[in-house]
Amino acid sequence: MSTEMTAKDVLDLIKKEDVKIVDFRFMDFPGMQQHFSVPAGKIDADTFSEGLGFDGSSIRGWQAINESDMIVVPQPQTAFIDPFMQIKTLVMTCNIGDPITGEDYTRDPRNIARKAENYLKSSGIGDTAFIGPEAEFFIFDDIRYDQTEHSGYYFVDSTEGRWNSGKDEGPNLGYKPRYKEGYFPVPPSDALQDIRSEMVVIMDEIGLNVEAHHHEVATGGQCEIDMRFAPLLEMADNMTKYKYIVKNVARKHNKTVTFMPKPLFMDNGSGMHTHLSIWKGGKNQFFGDGYAGLSQMALHAIGGILKHAPALLAFTNPTTNSYKRLVPGYEAPVNLAYSRRNRSAAVRIPMYSNSENSKRFEFRCPDPSSNPYLGFSAMLMAAIDGIQNKIDPGEPLDRNIYDLSPEEAAKVPTTPGTLREALEALRKDHEFLLRGDVFTEDVITTWIEYKLENEVMALDLRPHPYEFALYYDI
């Protein structure tokens, strides 16, 4: 749908398409979309200004039970007809507000992204931050997992998985990509071409601008679909639509999708390399005559990203599983350096297009488990801090990291090894996020406490299956 849609346009569309249900969606704190629906006849012009009430106490990381009333305020420019529902349904993404004060809710991730865009404008640095994420994911045929007091296991399967080369499939037709060799043979080795194409066609129908799709490096169904860059808030909205489409197309084919960064041992994990450029008055401020065709502003922005990367990863790589991807040997960007060539560097400057309009840098650490509103906003705030404080990114790392001497390699800082380390880095380094009231102390504290209690410490308490292999017979 057009980004120019107004409330009147949406109401007209409801009548024209004979929409029966309107679905209101919003993002919870950790990054999962939530929704509720109302009959289309209950929607009028006031809905777009006054919103609709709901109970916020059951939303992860949000209100306490004694202050649970909240409102959703639908945003007409996000409207689209749901391509999966049998009953004609129109979907809108919403902002979250306080019903008493009418103010935007500070823990609403979409509100944080809106404030990040406004802060960029108020800084004078630029008026638009363009974001281009490259989200990877796995399409599996089966997933089983459980954790009880006396057992714990997971089992994933894919007809593409190399581990099924010897399976009696009645018949087994072979063509299963070798480990780390899924990038990217033609069908029949790539068994997911039609499914990805269907995803792309539906994305196009609801207004997402897709540039390419392909199989990714890992065996067992790893895929990537790339969208063309868009302004930060719009792209965060688009990522929610992207995930919704990918998961539901897969389900239609009796398959399942995960954006979990590292579901397979000993093969590549799923990242979300994220491209950033800042524009002002229609001009790309990152284009220049410096290293790799970058401006001094862009180099300072890279300096900000690298300086704050350990804290930044608490939002861009927000799961314990994220750090099983960020390890050497799987094309993972574990080195906090920048380069126009080295894909193990956290920041890479793409060199396949050097025009003014395409010049940007790529932050390679993020993964698709992140809340896009928070991850993109934190990334922009780190870049702005680098520009404002003229942070020197140091020398580029254009040599193969494995060719460096031990002394040279020791000088290259690396990404945090665990989510706990990233959260502790965020606790110590978050002043750059507070500027313009984009993130608040409450948001930072709540994020750290939620992640530690519900994820880090919860995992620490549970025996791991591999611990039995290591220690049972001691």
Side-chain angles (χ1 to χ4, degrees):
M1 302 295 175
S2 168
T3 56
E4 302 302 319
M5 284 190 77
T6 64
K8 182 180 182 303
D9 293 332
V10 172
L11 293 172
D12 290 345
L13 183 65
I14 289 172
K15 291 179 181 177
K16 177 184 176 184
E17 295 288 335
D18 195 23
V19 168
K20 303 297 185 184
I21 297 292
V22 176
D23 197 48
F24 297 92
R25 297 185 185 175
F26 57 92
M27 186 73 83
D28 72 7
F29 206 44
M32 182 176 289
Q33 263 200 308
Q34 309 291 324
H35 79 132
F36 68 90
S37 302
V38 301
K42 303 295 184 184
I43 306 303
D44 57 25
D46 290 341
T47 307
F48 293 87
S49 55
E50 298 176 5
L52 293 172
F54 74 103
D55 178 5
S57 65
S58 296
I59 305 301
R60 298 180 300 171
W62 278 13
Q63 300 280 44
I65 193 71
N66 62 314
E67 51 182 7
S68 59
D69 288 345
M70 309 190 80
I71 56 172
V72 293
V73 182
Q75 302 303 298
Q77 72 274 18
T78 66
F80 67 96
I81 302 295
D82 194 302
F84 303 105
M85 297 298 104
Q86 291 184 3
I87 306 300
K88 184 65 74 74
T89 301
L90 181 135
V91 176
M92 284 186 285
T93 300
C94 302
N95 294 335
I96 306 299
D98 185 301
I100 298 174
T101 66
E103 294 179 354
D104 295 321
Y105 184 42
T106 54
R107 292 188 200 170
D108 172 19
R110 195 173 192 274
N111 181 31
I112 291 169
R114 291 158 60 209
K115 289 191 290 184
E117 286 192 326
N118 290 335
Y119 178 66
L120 172 64
K121 294 172 186 173
S122 70
S123 72
I125 291 169
D127 49 46
T128 308
F130 281 112
I131 300 288
E134 300 174 355
E136 299 167 346
F137 52 91
F138 280 87
I139 303 177
F140 291 134
D141 291 281
D142 190 39
I143 170 67
R144 289 178 281 127
Y145 54 89
D146 201 3
Q147 178 74 56
T148 70
E149 290 78 3
H150 70 286
S151 69
Y153 73 94
Y154 69 89
F155 180 85
V156 298
D157 204 8
S158 165
T159 56
E160 267 199 0
R162 189 66 176 180
W163 57 85
N164 281 323
S165 293
K167 183 179 179 181
D168 183 359
E169 295 181 333
N172 187 325
L173 301 178
Y175 299 113
K176 301 180 190 301
R178 285 176 283 273
Y179 295 103
K180 296 189 181 184
E181 293 187 26
Y183 188 88
F184 30 43
V186 299
S189 292
D190 177 4
L192 300 166
Q193 171 75 12
D194 274 342
I195 291 179
R196 289 196 310 271
S197 292
E198 184 177 340
M199 294 169 179
V200 168
V201 167
I202 293 175
M203 289 179 185
D204 181 67
E205 287 174 352
I206 72 163
L208 302 187
N209 190 347
V210 176
E211 291 193 321
H213 75 80
H214 56 81
H215 204 285
E216 255 300 337
V217 173
T219 189
Q222 192 182 33
C223 298
E224 178 175 320
I225 298 175
D226 297 333
M227 291 184 286
R228 182 170 174 78
F229 63 85
L232 187 152
L233 179 63
E234 180 183 340
M235 181 53 76
D237 286 339
N238 287 348
M239 276 306 303
T240 67
K241 299 173 184 176
Y242 174 108
K243 284 189 173 184
Y244 181 71
I245 290 168
V246 166
K247 289 178 179 179
N248 279 283
V249 169
R251 190 174 190 275
K252 174 183 166 185
H253 291 273
N254 205 31
K255 296 180 184 291
T256 178
V257 160
T258 183
F259 288 92
M260 183 177 172
K262 189 77 169 184
L264 298 183
F265 175 54
M266 295 295 287
D267 210 337
N268 283 37
S270 293
M272 187 174 70
H273 306 151
T274 303
H275 298 250
L276 172 68
S277 60
I278 293 176
W279 292 55
K280 185 176 183 179
K283 291 283 189 179
N284 185 357
Q285 302 300 292
F286 280 7
F287 178 75
D289 56 6
Y291 174 81
L294 294 175
S295 66
Q296 190 61 54
M297 178 189 287
L299 290 169
H300 286 151
I302 291 172
I305 295 282
L306 295 177
K307 175 184 176 181
H308 297 298
L312 191 53
L313 263 60
F315 288 110
T316 61
N317 302 71
T319 68
T320 58
N321 185 256
S322 298
Y323 299 86
K324 292 177 171 60
R325 166 184 166 256
L326 289 177
V327 294
Y330 297 89
E331 299 184 26
V334 296
N335 300 294
L336 295 180
Y338 70 103
S339 175
R340 58 186 168 193
R341 299 163 56 188
N342 195 331
R343 290 174 183 262
S344 71
V347 175
R348 189 177 74 93
I349 300 91
M351 298 304 294
Y352 33 71
S353 181
N354 287 306
S355 69
E356 179 177 350
N357 287 346
S358 65
K359 186 53 63 177
R360 75 272 190 195
F361 66 75
E362 170 192 38
F363 186 37
R364 293 176 63 81
C365 293
D367 68 55
S369 70
S370 62
N371 183 326
Y373 297 101
L374 301 183
F376 298 160
S377 298
M379 184 175 163
L380 176 61
M381 295 301 286
I384 292 174
D385 184 64
I387 294 167
Q388 290 174 330
N389 292 292
K390 296 182 169 53
I391 297 174
D392 184 357
E395 293 299 313
L397 181 67
D398 284 337
R399 291 169 58 194
N400 188 327
I401 189 73
Y402 302 110
D403 291 339
L404 300 180
S405 68
E407 294 77 16
E408 290 174 312
K411 294 178 182 177
V412 181
T414 58
T415 52
T418 64
L419 178 58
R420 184 188 293 273
E421 289 179 32
L423 292 169
E424 290 304 322
L426 177 63
R427 193 190 302 277
K428 296 173 184 175
D429 175 28
H430 60 260
E431 183 65 33
F432 71 101
L433 296 170
L434 302 178
R435 291 180 193 137
D437 200 38
V438 175
F439 289 76
T440 64
E441 284 285 2
D442 171 69
V443 164
I444 300 295
T445 301
T446 303
W447 183 262
I448 293 171
E449 291 178 352
Y450 179 90
K451 286 285 174 177
L452 284 174
E453 179 180 350
N454 294 282
E455 299 177 32
V456 174
M457 292 163 60
L459 194 70
D460 288 347
L461 287 170
R462 287 161 170 81
H464 189 285
Y466 194 58
E467 289 179 313
F468 285 83
L470 289 173
Y471 307 128
Y472 184 78
D473 58 352
I474 286 178

